[in-house]
């Protein structure tokens, strides 16, 4: 089938759009911290079951302490910090702006890899950073009244949370790359062919363990453990939490791995980055949010900036 990789990549963008919309609903009904605890617990169940069926063990095979260290650190930065910021941003400014700020993730990844791993920061990547930031700025700034002064059309707190979410995602990705590179070297040659397809799932499980433990500790420290019962009491919140988990960490990750098998990685990454555009119409239809031409153009420009990193 022609263009199967491109079709899968678009499906991933749709899957992540569904995740963001469901997460916004669930965050507002259950609480962002509560949703993260539920999401991490469900992710561990799904990932553990997948590994058990595929490898015979629900735990990551061949992983040593160093693997656990890097992937746990990635989970701390990407899940505990990044997702905490992301889901709180959904409450403050909605999923469409939250996803817009996630286009900052490639910028954070590129700067982190350049700083700590010595990777080259090309002029095209720098141009991509500038274009992405311009697109975000165009979306969140508007002229105020008759004096034509620029003002923010979202809360400043939301901007800080959005920057934190994109940064956490990007830095966590680099740390994950370090952990997975080390992990690959530990897999015996005779097992690599059968295990390589599930190595990302095993890596994600290690990251999710850190996220689950961290969010649970935060819930205990804030004395909000009792609020988890909302999951059994609020059917709408619970169903959206489950859907956000399935569509994101489970289906989204699985199909993103599949996409790069059938098309060029740059094309796949660019198509999978279309979520900030895809989410505009559902946000209007579901949440009745006003969407301006300026915001649409800004979202498109930010995605174009992201594409410069990969093509």
């Amino acid at each position: 089938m022609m263009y199967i990789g491109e079709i899968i990549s678009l499906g991933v963008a749709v899957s992540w759009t569904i995740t963001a919309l469901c997460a916004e609903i669930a965050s507002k009904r259950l609480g962002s911290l509560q949703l993260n605890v539920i999401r991490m617990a469900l992710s561990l169940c799904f990932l553990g079951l997948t590994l058990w069926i595929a490898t015979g063990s629900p735990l990551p095979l061949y992983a040593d302490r160093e693997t656990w260290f890097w992937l746990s650190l990635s989970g701390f930065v990407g899940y505990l910090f990044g997702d905490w910021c992301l889901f709180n941003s959904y409450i403050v400014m909605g999923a469409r702006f939250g996803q817009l700020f996630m286009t900052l993730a490639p910028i954070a990844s590129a700067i982190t890899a350049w700083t700590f791993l010595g990777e080259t920061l090309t002029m095209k990547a720098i141009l991509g950073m500038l274009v992405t930031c311009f697109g975000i700025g165009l979306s969140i700034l508007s002229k105020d009244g008759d004096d034509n002064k620029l003002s923010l059309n979202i809360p400043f707190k939301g901007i800080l949370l959005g920057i934190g979410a994109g940064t956490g995602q990007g830095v966590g990705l680099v740390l994950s790359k370090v952990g997975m590179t080390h992990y690959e070297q530990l897999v015996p040659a005779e097992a690599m062919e059968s295990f390589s397809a599930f190595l990302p799932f095993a890596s994600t499980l290690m990251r999710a363990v850190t996220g689950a433990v961290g969010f649970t500790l935060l819930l205990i420290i804030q004395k909000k453990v009792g609020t988890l019962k909302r999951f059994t009491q609020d059917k709408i919140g619970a169903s959206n939490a489950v859907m956000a988990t399935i569509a994101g960490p489970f289906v989204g990750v699985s199909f993103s791995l599949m996409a790069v098998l059938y098309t060029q990685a740059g094309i796949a990454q660019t198509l999978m980055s279309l979520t900030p555009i895809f989410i505009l119409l559902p946000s209007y239809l579901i949440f009745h949010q006003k969407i301006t031409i300026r915001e649409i153009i800004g979202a498109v420009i930010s995605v174009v900036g992201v594409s410069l990193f990969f093509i």
Side-chain angles (χ1 to χ4, degrees):
M1 182 178 178
M2 292 184 62
Y3 304 114
I4 185 171
E6 288 80 358
I7 293 171
I8 293 173
S9 300
L10 289 171
V12 172
V14 172
S15 179
W16 286 339
T17 299
I18 294 171
T19 300
L21 294 168
C22 291
E24 178 177 347
I25 295 171
S27 293
K28 291 177 177 178
R29 298 183 72 95
L30 305 177
S32 62
L33 183 55
Q34 292 81 351
L35 173 60
N36 273 307
V37 171
I38 294 166
R39 194 175 69 100
M40 287 294 101
L42 291 173
S43 295
L44 287 174
C45 292
F46 293 142
L47 290 166
L49 182 61
T50 300
L51 290 176
W52 191 14
I53 293 172
T55 68
S57 172
L59 299 177
L61 297 176
Y62 314 115
D64 63 359
R65 290 182 180 179
E66 187 173 347
T67 304
W68 274 96
F69 169 77
W70 284 110
L71 291 171
S72 295
L73 184 60
S74 171
F76 178 84
V77 175
Y79 283 151
L80 193 58
F81 174 73
D83 281 1
W84 182 88
C85 289
L86 180 62
F87 290 129
N88 275 286
S89 76
Y90 289 166
I91 295 175
V92 174
M93 60 182 177
R96 66 188 178 96
F97 281 114
Q99 282 300 306
L100 179 67
F101 277 94
M102 290 302 285
T103 57
L104 292 173
I107 297 178
S109 292
I111 293 175
T112 303
W114 172 64
T115 304
F116 296 103
L117 302 181
E119 293 188 5
T120 303
L121 194 60
T122 65
M123 288 303 298
K124 190 170 69 170
I126 295 173
L127 177 62
M129 295 178 188
L130 296 175
V131 172
T132 298
C133 290
F134 175 75
I136 293 174
L138 191 65
S139 293
I140 66 175
L141 292 172
S142 60
K143 291 184 179 180
D144 187 17
D146 298 327
D147 53 9
N148 286 328
K149 289 184 177 180
L150 291 176
S151 63
L152 296 171
N153 54 18
I154 57 174
F156 184 68
K157 179 181 178 181
I159 294 175
L160 294 179
L161 290 169
I163 293 173
T167 302
Q169 176 79 9
V171 176
L173 184 63
V174 174
L175 294 171
S176 181
K177 179 181 178 180
V178 174
M180 288 182 65
T181 300
H182 175 75
Y183 193 9
E184 278 186 311
Q185 298 172 355
L186 299 175
V187 181
E190 63 273 14
M192 178 56 76
E193 185 176 349
S194 60
F195 187 72
S196 60
F198 298 97
L199 189 143
F201 292 92
S203 301
T204 302
L205 186 142
M206 285 182 269
R207 299 180 73 217
V209 167
T210 303
V213 172
F215 284 125
T216 301
L217 287 175
L218 283 177
L219 204 67
I220 294 172
I221 292 171
Q222 296 183 19
K223 298 180 180 180
K224 294 181 178 180
V225 176
T227 58
L228 286 175
K229 64 183 180 182
R230 296 174 190 166
F231 182 72
T232 60
Q233 297 172 342
D234 189 329
K235 292 182 179 179
I236 295 177
S239 61
N240 277 277
V242 173
M243 183 61 70
T245 304
I246 294 174
F250 194 63
V251 173
V253 169
S254 302
F255 279 81
S256 65
L257 298 174
M258 190 183 300
V260 296
L261 295 176
Y262 294 99
T263 188
Q264 296 177 28
I267 295 174
Q269 289 285 357
T270 300
L271 293 175
M272 289 187 289
S273 299
L274 291 173
T275 301
I277 297 174
F278 285 176
I279 203 171
L280 292 172
L281 181 59
S283 293
Y284 171 76
L285 295 175
I286 297 172
F287 304 118
H288 307 294
Q289 296 174 351
K290 182 182 177 181
I291 300 172
T292 65
I293 296 297
R294 186 189 190 96
E295 291 170 359
I296 295 173
I297 294 174
V300 172
I301 291 174
S302 69
V303 172
V304 170
V306 170
S307 72
L308 293 175
F309 283 87
F310 304 114
I311 295 180

